[in-house]
Every structure is written in structure tokens, then in C-alpha cells.
Amino acid sequence: MIRLLTAFLLLTTPARACDLALLLAVDVSGSVDTKEYRIQMDGLAYALRDGIVADALIEQRAEVALVQWTGSSRQRQTIPWTRIDTYDDVLALADKVEADARVWRNYSTAIGEALSVSLSAFASMDHCLRKVIDVSGDGVSNEGVEPATLRSSLNAENITVNAIAIETDKTDLTAYFFENLITGPGAFVMTAQGFEDYPEQIKRKLQRETTRQLTYSAE
């Protein structure tokens, strides 16, 4: 009888709520060479393994996915939504990120298209309290729909877009991302001074994103 009751409770008890759905959107456009792609993926894995980030993901029962993006019609979710309940889950996700093979190279930069695909990826994530897209990029959008035109759709779904601008020339990419890309409560841009600075800055960015629930308000 006790075994039957336990089985019934396991079947009828709702799954733990998800406090954070985090989608990592990685630039694989033509301006990103093989070494720079590797820096991005290794940097993301390094950031995920950070103690502050790992603790926050576990505490928030986070679900994390990854999209590779470049020119129009070339965006793909290469890592599906992955539930984080334990440190082993974090480490397994970091390993997947490190091993994620590049899908495209030598194409344009369609940030709006990346946002559109990322928005669609959240269709099954209504059970998560916070929804965040983390965009990494090293250039302005030069193809497809303008990223700013997606803001109303993203806001309607309560999706926040943050960005890390990888500055590689005299273009003020940080300002461009601030004016054209980010949206939502507390949205922010962080700056990496070149790809070599990316691992430390993406770690700081994920620390800020994943712990933001401490001050987050739906107002």
C-alpha cells in the first residue's frame, strides 16, 4: 500500500518550477574565424562551470539552450533545452557546449533573424518565470530584418535580451547593441575588448544574468 501511495505521489506531484530559461545565442558569421569560434565556445563552457553561475542555475532550476546564428535563414538551435538540477547537469552542459560543432562559416550577420529563431525556441518555455536571450556578437546586423523590429514581439512574451559586444574595430558595437538589440526589464550590454577578453566577460555576464532573480520584479 505504501509503495502504491509513493508511486501515485511521484506521478501526480508537479515538476519543480523553472525560474530561468536562458538561451545562449552565439555568433558564427564570416567575421568569426575558427580560433575565435573556439574561444567563444570554450569561454561559454568556462563561464558555465564558474561556481557563482553553477549555483545560480541550480537554485533557479534553470533550463538552458544554445543557438548558432549567422546570415538570413542560417540559424539553428544546436543544443536543446537542458534542465539544470545538479552540478553534474551543469558540467554535462558545459561539455556539450565545448563539443558543439560549428554549423556555418563565411556568411553575413543577421541579428534580427537570430532573435526570431530564438523567440520561437521559447514556445515551450511558458513554465519558466524569467526568459532571457544572451546574444554574443562581433558586428552590426547587415542582413535580414532589423533586430529592433523584434522588440515588441519579445516584450509581448516577457523575454529579456542581453548582449555581449565583442569589439574588434572602431565600430562602437556596444552602443549599437544598446540602441538596437537589448530589451526587457534590466536589459544590459557588456563589452569584451576583442575575443581574447571574451571568456572573462561572458563569465561576468552570466553571473549577472543568472543571479538577477534576487532583484527581479515583474512590474
Side-chain angles (χ1 to χ4, degrees), residues 109-138:
T109 303
I111 300 176
E113 306 291 333
L115 290 179
S116 181
V117 168
S118 298
L119 175 60
S120 298
F122 281 92
S124 61
M125 306 308 291
D126 284 344
H127 58 289
C128 292
L129 177 64
R130 274 200 306 143
K131 293 177 275 188
V132 178
I133 300 173
D134 179 326
V135 179
S136 298
D138 77 335

Side-chain angles (χ1 to χ4, degrees), residues 67-206:
V67 164
Q68 293 186 31
W69 63 271
T70 176
S72 294
S73 77
R74 292 181 174 88
Q75 295 82 29
R76 183 181 302 171
Q77 185 172 346
T78 57
I79 296 179
W81 289 108
T82 302
R83 179 64 175 251
I84 304 298
D85 287 313
T86 67
Y87 285 105
D88 285 343
D89 293 335
V90 176
L91 297 177
L93 174 61
D95 290 345
K96 286 182 182 179
V97 171
E98 278 184 331
D100 199 31
R102 185 172 186 166
V103 180
W104 298 282
R105 66 187 72 242
N106 302 325
Y107 289 99
S108 300
T109 303
I111 300 176
E113 306 291 333
L115 290 179
S116 181
V117 168
S118 298
L119 175 60
S120 298
F122 281 92
S124 61
M125 306 308 291
D126 284 344
H127 58 289
C128 292
L129 177 64
R130 274 200 306 143
K131 293 177 275 188
V132 178
I133 300 173
D134 179 326
V135 179
S136 298
D138 77 335
V140 302
S141 191
N142 57 25
E143 187 173 272
V145 63
E146 289 296 322
T149 64
L150 274 295
R151 278 176 167 157
S152 60
S153 297
L154 292 160
N155 292 337
E157 297 298 324
N158 296 316
I159 297 173
T160 296
V161 179
N162 300 321
I164 180 167
I166 307 169
E167 300 281 6
T168 59
D169 54 32
K170 294 187 181 300
T171 301
D172 190 351
L173 189 60
T174 300
Y176 174 83
F177 280 176
F178 183 82
E179 294 170 1
N180 297 277
L181 177 55
I182 66 170
T183 190
F188 65 93
V189 181
M190 294 191 74
T191 303
Q193 298 298 337
F195 278 90
E196 296 299 333
D197 188 36
Y198 179 84
E200 283 302 320
Q201 297 309 320
I202 194 64
K203 182 180 76 172
R204 292 180 59 230
K205 185 170 187 289
L206 287 185

